[in-house]
Amino acid sequence: MTSTADLAYPFQGRWLTQNSPANRVPSHGTALFATSFAIDFVPVDEAGRTAPITLGSLLRPEPAERFPGFGRPILAPVDGVVAGVHHTAPDHPSFRGLPSVVYALTQGRRAAAGWPQLAGNHVMIEAGDGPVIAICHLQRGSVQVRQGQRVRVGETLGRCGNSGNSTEPHVHLQAIDRLDVLHASAVPITFGGRLPRNGEIIDAG
């Protein structure tokens, strides 16, 4: 198995980097579920912005459909075999401002329910050299691949959603050394040999 999984970006268009292991490890503040080197990308518009913040968005949850990237295609970041698929989790509202604080208070409950509750709808790809790549928070019912299917870089896996542990539509990637997430170790990742930092906007195609 390689010591670092070098991936392609799993999308086209403009995406904002968040929770990057280039800034800190563990990137999400915990090593649970082998997330030490996980990374998030938030879809943004041509101006590099997500949905505009209004007084309403600070006070109450917002429809996920209001955000510019909800439903954008998510692509295979690596060649390999689909080792796991989940596609029935609902897309919940997005949370900013006060709703995000309330949502954060329920984080422990979601973590206690296990990794599938955190990942939401996801695809897991076993790469040829060993690492398993998890692509998470996909839109309900959008997954277009099945377990055992061979995929190549750039093939559509599903669409960007807001399922699982997510405050707004985005895609979460992590690499692990085995399919059993509970007992897996995190594998570092790069994209074309480099790792973007928090706040960096990626223009992919």
Side-chain angles (χ1 to χ4, degrees):
M1 180 180 295
T2 59
S3 57
T4 299
D6 191 44
L7 309 177
Y9 287 113
F11 46 70
Q12 293 182 326
R14 308 198 84 195
W15 296 67
L16 173 68
T17 307
Q18 291 190 341
N19 296 317
S20 173
N23 289 77
R24 70 168 183 175
V25 175
S27 59
H28 286 59
T30 178
L32 287 175
F33 305 112
T35 58
S36 290
F37 303 111
I39 193 167
D40 295 329
F41 295 102
V42 178
V44 293
D45 62 19
E46 289 303 312
R49 295 189 295 264
T50 184
I53 293 180
T54 66
L55 178 60
S57 64
L58 297 176
L59 298 176
R60 57 183 176 270
E62 305 167 88
E65 295 82 358
R66 183 171 180 267
F67 289 74
F70 186 76
R72 278 193 197 174
I74 300 298
L75 314 176
V78 67
D79 295 341
V81 176
V82 176
V85 170
H86 184 68
H87 60 87
T88 59
D91 292 287
H92 55 72
S94 299
F95 305 105
R96 297 188 290 182
L98 182 60
S100 70
V101 176
V102 176
Y103 187 70
L105 295 176
T106 63
Q107 175 81 5
R109 184 176 65 203
R110 290 187 295 280
W115 187 80
Q117 182 71 18
L118 297 176
N121 301 313
H122 61 274
V123 174
M124 303 182 78
I125 300 174
E126 189 167 6
D129 55 357
V132 175
I133 313 302
I135 305 100
C136 307
H137 307 314
L138 303 178
Q139 184 179 0
R140 184 178 189 175
S142 74
V143 175
Q144 299 180 26
V145 295
R146 64 186 184 281
Q147 190 164 342
Q149 179 178 337
R150 184 168 295 277
V151 295
R152 297 191 65 82
V153 169
E155 289 187 34
T156 300
L157 301 177
R159 295 188 176 275
C160 180
N162 201 42
S163 60
N165 188 48
S166 175
T167 56
E168 69 176 278
H170 75 287
V171 64
H172 166 109
L173 276 84
Q174 65 185 86
I176 55 181
D177 67 350
R178 68 197 73 184
L179 189 59
D180 180 2
V181 179
L182 189 60
H183 299 99
S185 295
V187 174
I189 58 178
T190 54
F191 298 88
R194 65 177 297 270
L195 190 59
R197 298 184 65 83
N198 286 345
E200 183 175 342
I201 291 179
I202 304 301
D203 282 293

